[in-house]
Each structure stands twice: as C-alpha cells, then as structure tokens.
Amino acid sequence: MAFDRRKFLVGSTAAAALAAGGGSAQAAVPVLWQEFVQNPYDHPQIPNVSFAGYRLGERLPTQRPAHVNVLRYGAKADGSANAAPAINRAIADVGKSGGGVVYVPEGTFRIDDIVEVGYSNVVLRGAGSGRTTLYATRSLEQIVGINRSRYGSENSAWSWCGGLVWVCHRDRRSTLINAIQAHNWPLEGWLGNEGDASAPITTVVKPARRGDFTVDVADASGLEVGDRVLLQVDDDPAHGLLKHMCGDIPGTRTYVWTDKTKLLSYKPFQWPVRIAAITGTKVTFAQPLPVQLRPEWNARLTTSAPAVTGAGVEGLTIRLVKTVRPAHLQDKGYNGLVFQCAWDCWADDVTVVDSDNGFLLVAAKGVTLSRTWVAGRGQHHSYCCREQSHDNLIEDFGIGKFTEPPTPGSGHHGINVEGLSCGNVWSKGRMEAGTFDTHRGLPFGNVRTEVVIFNDGSHGGSADAGPLYGARFAHWNVTVTNQRAGCVRIDEVAPMSATVGISTVRDFGQVDRPDFTGPLGARLDSYGDVTVSPQNLHKAQRELRGLP
C-alpha cells in the first residue's frame, strides 16, 4: 500500500496542541521575540536563520520544462530491468549541455546502482511522489564496498553517509568512492578527502563581529561579485573559537577541550558564502557572519572542493528493498537521498521508504528539503545534517510511525545535526518517532520550530566529539505528544539557548546533564503555552527581512 503523506501530515501544530490538552487562549508574544526584533543579527540566544535554504531563502524555482525523458534512454517503468544506467546517461547528457530536467514518468523504476546527480543545474523530476518510484535493490556496501570511519572502529560509515540517489559533484564523488574502495577512509566535506583541496584567495585583516556582513581583506583582486568562496577560520591554542561557539560562558574556561580529538579534527571552521559586493578591500557577504572573526583565528577566503549547485530532486519516492533493520552503526547503506558538497540545491515532494537512513545533508549549504517524508520499517537517521552543513532548510517534513518493531540493538535519532553545523532550520514538521538529535560535535545556531513530536528517540555522539550543543539553539513552538522532555526542553542543558512555547514535559528515558559547569545563560519562555506568537520562528524572521 502506498504511503499517504496527506493523511500523515493532517492537522497543524495548534490542532495537535489542543488534542494534547493545550488551551486556546490568545497567543502571547515572548519577551525573547521582542528582544530579537531589536537585535536581529547578534541576539545572544536566538540565531538569525532567515537566510536558510535555497539561494538564501528564495522560493524554489518553478516552471522548469522537461528536457529529456528517461524512457528514451531505455529505462523501463515496470521494474523489469535496472534503470540506473539509463537515468545516469540522461543526467550526464543534460548536465553536459548546461542543465535542465531529466523526467522520470509514472511507474516503478528498479535501480540496482546509485543514481548520480553530479552536474549543476540538473533536476531529476518524477511525476509525483505517489506516482514515480525508484526501487533500490542493493545497498551501498554491495555496490561500493565496505566503508569505515577514519576515526577508527569497525562501525559502518554507511550508517551516516552516502545515498542511493547521490547529489554530489561528479569529481568530488569519484574521489570519495575511489578512497573508500582503497580503504583510505576519506574526509567527506568541503576540503576534500585529506583536507587539502582548497587554494587561498585572501586573508581577513581586521576583526569582525558576529552578524557583520562586511569584512576587510588584504587583497580583493582575486574576487568578483557573485563568487562562491569558503571562509575558513582556525582556532587559537586556548580553543577560543570553540568557546565562542558555545557563547563564551564561564564554564567553557574549565571544560576539558584537549581530549576531544574528534571535535578538534573538524577544524578549521568552514563556512561557504557568496560575495555580494566589493569596495576596495572591503568585501560584503550575501548573509551575516555566524561567528566573530578575531586576529588570532587566521580567517581567510579560499576555494573549496568541487560543489554541485542548482540541482534538484522532485516528485518521486525512493523505496528500498525491505531488509531487517540493522543494529546501531552496522548499516549496510540502504540510504535514500544525500546532498554532499551541494550548494543551493533542493528536494521537493520526495518520500523515502524502508531505508537505513532517509535524507542526509553532508557538507551541504543552502539546501531546501520541502515536502519530504520518511516512512517504513524504521531508520537510523531519518534526517541527518553533518560535516559542517550550514544554512539548510527542512520544511513541511514528516517521520511516520514505524511499520515494524525495532530490532535488538537498533536505534533511531530522528532529526540530527552535528559537526560544527550552524544556521539550519527544521520547520513545520510532524514526527511520529525520533527526537531532536545533536550527536555532539558542537553544532550551534540551529532552530526547530512548529513541530509536533512523539519523542521516543535518543541522541548519539561519542565523548571525544565534544559538547552536545553550542550556543543559540532555539526550540520554538514544539508540541510533545508523549510529554518526554529529553532533547526538546534544553534550557538546563544547552548554553545560551532559547526554549520557547513548548508543551509541558517531564524527564524520563534519556536525560542529559550540561557539558559546562556554572550558569548557562539559557532562556525559557512561554513554557507550556504552544499558542505562542509568532508561531514559527523561521517564518517570522523571513518576514522581518521582507520575504514572503
């Protein structure tokens, strides 16, 4: 039976609140929102996420005519043959011609290999998620081979990376696959397999504040308006940058940073950004800085590993052959859709069924996932956002109730963010399973807003990955249908955070303690009142920018 997402997502957050016993009083305006309006780019507890998503918050492009039909390339719509080679040939032809739409009509298309969206401005479009299905029969381990973490252990790296539909520049992806097959376990992000795939452009020569748009550089002659560059920021020996990402609270001075080897390996901080204007040696970015830039941090603008831009996946279901849900961290790679080293890309009206992992953002920037759903037998990560992924928007999303009971040793994280990722938004979601997972790795400045959740998942993350939270996490208007507090009410755990308008919750199951001693500087506002106004923090911030 087809998964009916319309029935699944019926009802609003307010309706769910009433069902959970919430009131219908006139919406209250939190003090925190009034403060943010006065200080939108440097508020101590609330990040500015109005720039999240495709092209800094633009609506997804429409009116894209079909360019080629995969049937012309020999794909069969009845599942009788492997359609992946035909689909990939169509993608390559359209990509080499400058971009366009590869149309996958109604039907079931068997894919025994990876569908590779490796060209910019190519859209893989189905006839709708209820009409076009890509039926994946093999795992990434079967197609590519065993994959392990470069940090050691026998855990499968397919537990957090790779997809049977893989949106990644063809040159970046080929180096990843080659390294995996050679057992040279690669870095996955913006700097290439070994962290050396960037070239210097210029250095930042003066301090800048968080929220600034303009920086002073040594030489702007190598830059042009519209360029996509990578801002890299080192740390000082006293870990000043990491402390700053945690809000510079007193507890960061006594926290032990030196044994957080996995966290320390993430540096430098890498933030892709577009150049909006150049005046002499003053360079203006298209969005505000997420961190300060101090002289001792050696901030600089560089190139990055190849990135795919302007690519989309629309109107289809990715259904994986049903397998037994694996034990935790032993995934074989029955993964749905991944965006890796992808910038200003999107997915719209896409459903993933019976996967190990549903949607993965790996070193992704400005990606919008709209009208996406994860369903079936239960997943490890339904949504994953990692490896310095920034300013992505997941809106109108859902996680369905699992169709099968969990197998022994399995785990579900729900919606994940980790690895110094910032500026990401989860908006207007309904989660019938999972939790708000951080997985350690010091993510900061992320927002979950207008979400209804049955909070039964757990967060992950190894101790050497550092704090669960950095500063400025905001959980805004969240209804918890089973009243579990863990990972949702964060005012006693997350430094300089904002927990606003969440339903009444209590501690049971996984209960966290703060990583830092002393005052956290966190704020709790409108607790127990999900009629808070604005209902949606991301939408309200967009309106402040004059966006619809």
Side-chain angles (χ1 to χ4, degrees):
M1 181 179 295
F3 175 61
D4 190 341
R5 65 182 185 277
R6 291 169 295 181
K7 291 181 180 178
F8 170 58
L9 284 177
V10 67
S12 65
T13 303
L18 291 173
S24 58
Q26 184 176 358
V29 179
V31 172
L32 272 165
W33 175 249
Q34 298 174 50
E35 293 175 1
F36 180 85
V37 170
Q38 299 301 314
N39 183 20
Y41 295 118
D42 193 25
H43 191 277
Q45 284 90 13
I46 300 177
N48 190 311
V49 293
S50 66
F51 295 84
Y54 172 78
R55 293 188 62 84
L56 304 175
E58 291 183 15
R59 295 305 182 191
L60 298 182
T62 58
Q63 305 300 320
R64 296 176 298 276
H67 191 114
V68 300
N69 189 315
V70 299
L71 298 181
R72 289 175 44 199
Y73 286 78
K76 303 296 184 184
D78 60 1
S80 62
N82 179 16
I87 296 172
N88 288 335
R89 287 195 300 272
I91 291 171
D93 282 355
V94 172
K96 291 173 183 176
S97 69
V101 173
V102 173
Y103 183 61
V104 187
E106 184 170 2
T108 296
F109 294 81
R110 197 182 90 211
I111 56 171
D112 301 339
D113 296 294
I114 298 166
V115 172
E116 305 166 4
V117 184
Y119 292 83
S120 294
N121 304 314
V122 172
V123 179
L124 182 67
R125 178 198 290 167
S129 61
R131 299 173 62 192
T132 298
T133 296
L134 302 182
Y135 180 61
T137 62
R138 298 202 297 162
S139 68
L140 291 166
E141 186 168 291
Q142 291 171 317
I143 296 168
V144 178
I146 290 172
N147 191 9
R148 296 287 183 260
S149 168
R150 68 185 283 122
Y151 302 106
S153 86
E154 291 301 306
N155 294 332
S156 170
W158 298 126
S159 301
W160 55 78
C161 69
L164 275 306
V165 179
W166 202 326
V167 182
C168 180
H169 193 283
R170 58 201 179 278
D171 295 337
R172 180 72 182 103
R173 185 186 162 280
S174 65
T175 63
L176 286 165
I177 297 300
N178 291 341
I180 292 167
Q181 292 179 331
H183 291 192
N184 294 324
W185 315 124
L187 292 170
E188 304 165 65
W190 299 104
L191 298 181
N193 291 357
E194 298 300 329
D196 56 2
S198 69
I201 300 174
T202 190
T203 57
V204 178
V205 295
K206 292 183 179 180
R209 299 166 299 180
R210 182 171 63 89
D212 283 353
F213 284 78
T214 299
V215 298
D216 292 88
V217 300
D219 181 5
S221 62
L223 296 169
E224 294 183 3
V225 172
D227 281 355
R228 299 173 185 266
V229 298
L230 190 66
L231 174 66
Q232 295 192 50
V233 187
D234 289 332
D235 204 351
D236 59 71
H239 310 291
L241 176 60
L242 296 178
K243 294 174 183 176
H244 170 62
M245 289 175 171
C246 294
D248 288 310
I249 61 171
T252 62
R253 296 194 289 271
T254 55
Y255 182 77
V256 178
W257 298 96
T258 52
D259 63 351
K260 307 304 184 292
T261 52
K262 188 173 182 179
L263 173 64
L264 297 177
S265 74
Y266 294 155
K267 297 185 291 184
F269 178 59
Q270 303 148 41
W271 188 62
V273 66
R274 209 163 62 227
I275 304 299
I278 302 171
T279 303
T281 56
K282 292 186 178 294
V283 175
T284 299
F285 298 142
Q287 62 185 116
L289 287 168
V291 295
Q292 294 179 6
L293 302 181
R294 300 177 187 171
E296 61 268 29
W297 295 344
N298 186 32
R300 57 208 181 274
L301 302 181
T302 73
T303 62
S304 71
V308 65
T309 62
V313 178
E314 303 176 343
L316 52 82
T317 288
I318 304 168
R319 181 179 290 274
L320 294 303
V321 61
K322 185 175 284 190
T323 58
V324 175
R325 185 177 170 190
H328 190 228
L329 298 175
Q330 298 304 312
D331 302 4
K332 300 298 183 183
Y334 290 102
N335 299 344
L337 174 59
V338 61
F339 289 88
Q340 184 163 10
C341 294
W343 192 341
D344 288 338
C345 296
W346 72 91
D348 183 32
D349 183 25
V350 177
T351 296
V352 176
V353 182
D354 290 333
S355 63
D356 289 343
N357 299 279
F359 294 87
L360 295 95
L361 302 174
V362 182
K365 166 76 175 190
V367 172
T368 292
L369 305 183
S370 181
R371 301 189 299 162
T372 58
W373 296 267
V374 182
R377 52 96 159 144
Q379 313 84 39
H380 180 192
H381 301 95
S382 295
Y383 292 83
C384 190
C385 180
R386 50 182 296 275
E387 201 72 16
Q388 305 218 37
S389 286
H390 307 300
D391 307 308
N392 300 293
L393 171 63
I394 301 92
E395 62 178 359
D396 296 312
F397 71 95
I399 301 172
K401 184 178 180 180
F402 297 163
T403 57
E404 298 178 11
T407 52
S410 63
H412 180 225
H413 301 307
I415 55 175
N416 153 275
V417 62
E418 60 180 278
L420 301 184
S421 298
C422 71
N424 302 290
V425 179
W426 290 260
S427 171
K428 295 185 291 183
R430 189 174 185 93
M431 300 170 59
E432 296 190 358
T435 195
F436 292 174
D437 172 38
T438 70
H439 242 71
R440 299 195 175 272
L442 210 164
F444 65 98
N446 300 290
V447 167
R448 285 97 170 217
T449 183
E450 199 176 349
V451 179
V452 178
I453 176 174
F454 185 86
N455 185 18
D456 67 349
S458 60
H459 74 72
S462 57
D464 62 350
L468 275 171
Y469 303 93
R472 289 174 296 282
F473 259 80
H475 289 175
W476 191 289
N477 184 15
V478 180
T479 298
V480 185
T481 58
N482 62 339
Q483 297 188 327
R484 177 176 162 240
C487 301
V488 176
R489 180 175 173 175
I490 56 174
D491 58 292
E492 296 179 350
V493 182
M496 303 301 289
S497 61
T499 303
V500 180
I502 70 165
S503 60
T504 303
V505 292
R506 56 192 174 88
D507 283 334
F508 63 92
Q510 186 182 45
V511 178
D512 291 311
R513 298 290 179 262
D515 288 295
F516 304 106
T517 59
L520 294 176
R523 305 274 294 275
L524 177 68
D525 199 337
S526 302
Y527 176 59
D529 181 6
V530 294
T531 63
V532 65
S533 178
Q535 284 272 290
N536 188 294
L537 179 61
H538 172 246
K539 180 181 178 182
Q541 289 191 5
R542 286 175 56 87
E543 290 171 351
L544 280 182
R545 279 185 61 204
L547 298 176

